Amino acid sequence: MRFVANHPEAACYGKSIAGANFINGRWVEAAGGGFERRNPANRLDLIGSFPLSGREEVREAARAARKAFEKWSATPAPVRAEVIGRFGDLIAKHKGDLSRLLTREIGKTPREAGGDVQEAVDTARFFQSEGRRLYGQTVPSEMRRKELFTYRRPLGVCGMITAGNFPVAVPSWKIIPALICGNTVVWKASDDAPGCASLFMQLLAEAGAPAGVVNLVHGGGGNGAGQYLVELVHEGLIDKISFTGSTAVGRWIGAECGRALQIPSLELGGKNPMIVTPSANLDQALEGALWAAFGTAGQRCTSLGNLILHEDIAGDFTRRFAERAGQIRIGDPSLHGDVLYGPMINERFMQGFLEHLQWGREEGAIPLMHEGRITRENACRLFEGDAAAGLYVWPAVWSGVTIQMRLAQTEIFGPTVNIIKARDFDEAMAFANGTPYGLSSAIYTNDPVEMHRFRTEIQAGMSSINNSTTGAEAHLPFGGVKGSGNGTRESGVWVIDAYSRWQAVNADYSGGLQLAQIDTETVEASAPPVDFSALWIP
Ligand code: UN1
């Protein structure tokens, strides 16, 4: 891995990466064209140039992974886990470098970038010890001198396709458990974060992942390396796809994998609700709602979309929320580490955000804040840096939103939130469940019955009580219901099911042929029945 001089005016950010794919233990330039990734905070700072991999490069990576599978899957799991443990140590050691690059590459604040990297350390530590478990079961047989067992077996070659908003944490959620289970990996990193992917891969190689066990290919999604990787399921080169991204792409991947009789892991979009009831600590709810809506510039799958307020508190809460939203500090997080959020990750997210400002008005919602893009003209003292140089937007706050509106139904990656008023708790729950998604959710309340009802009635994979919609920890299951996924989970022990299959084994020591269900002993009744009705006086 090579570093080269950056644009002279961006030299203060650091050097650029001369990017390459990592195939069969070597960094290799792709034969086709390339693409550049620039810091979205200023678009001058060059993170690096990376290959736009074609079908053949992706195929080559899959072949390398298939070849490496034989040896890696036969390596004892505790030994595989040593690589993961060392990887965790290396990420921890380079947390500063990774976080700084992450801030440059996708615009997270230093604090959040540190959290993103820490999530990978936590995941590595969790799975290092899991390598000493990966338990199967012993199961009693219905026959004598026969034993039944279950074993976890690896699936083969796993194709990972990740998004750019958690460029270290989310790849670790996929790659680490896949490796622990004995699979090998081809990873198509997000073209928004090829730099972080390169450092990640370098550390994994330094940690001792043998050649071919993990391979990285750069490039686009549709009509690019991501699509080619999925299509390899039909060539028998990929045994499992794991994808984090949009629901539309997830549906396509689900259909392709379904035709190959494979179950992909799909972590898709969200329109995450937060309910605030009158019994809540409203100061705490305000902080939670502001962070959930605007942290990471709203570019988390778990960001808040619909803020559902009980009508008794809605007026005052809305006023305070809009006031605080107006005080948010925004700017280049590499230079001003204490801003709440930095730039949009890419042009596409920014365009989507700007477009929703238009159609949101057209359908009759009331914009309490919606200035759109931050330019030199409309930057105020709360903006840090050169607004025109980057992809910055003001927060948007909508009131008068009804759950039927497109605003309330559509995932928008960006700092925007809908305020929806509810008459009572039943209506609040109906609104919270009234979207096509079901990823994360939150409630602020101090009423135990509301807490109980919320966690039993909410249609979401993840629910917070008196906390933000974000903030999943590395050892709890992550994933959604409805349009947010296909029921697979990441993280914790639950993800192991996504990267292993169960093998059932029966071993017969009887010395003869014992047929289940047919030669099984039966138990005869040993005492004549007593008529219990005789116990009662007629
Ligand atoms: C994502 O947005 O894809 O719970 C992942 C959170 C983070 C992970 C989010 N720990 O917000």
Side-chain angles (χ1 to χ4, degrees), residues 11 46 52 77 100 148 169 204 255 404 525-526:
L46 180 68
L52 265 179
R100 271 176 76 184
L148 309 182
L204 206 35
Q404 294 79 17
S526 56

Side-chain angles (χ1 to χ4, degrees), residues 338-400:
D338 55 350
V339 294
L340 181 74
Y341 69 77
M344 298 298 286
I345 294 172
N346 60 39
E347 291 273 353
R348 189 165 48 87
F349 291 166
M350 188 174 74
Q351 281 318 321
F353 175 85
L354 295 177
E355 279 162 25
H356 105 282
L357 296 176
Q358 188 60 34
W359 54 256
R361 269 169 88 93
E362 280 165 15
E363 66 178 345
I366 304 159
L368 299 181
M369 283 188 71
H370 98 316
E371 295 93 320
R373 185 157 185 186
I374 306 179
T375 58
R376 268 187 203 131
E377 292 67 48
N378 75 3
C380 70
R381 64 187 171 76
L382 295 175
F383 184 84
E384 307 278 1
D386 180 5
L391 310 176
Y392 299 102
V393 296
W394 291 114
V397 180
W398 300 91
S399 72

Side-chain angles (χ1 to χ4, degrees), residues 24-42:
N24 208 17
R26 286 186 316 113
W27 291 104
V28 279
E29 299 288 337
F35 68 99
E36 290 186 338
R37 175 64 189 171
R38 287 183 187 272
N39 183 338
N42 55 48

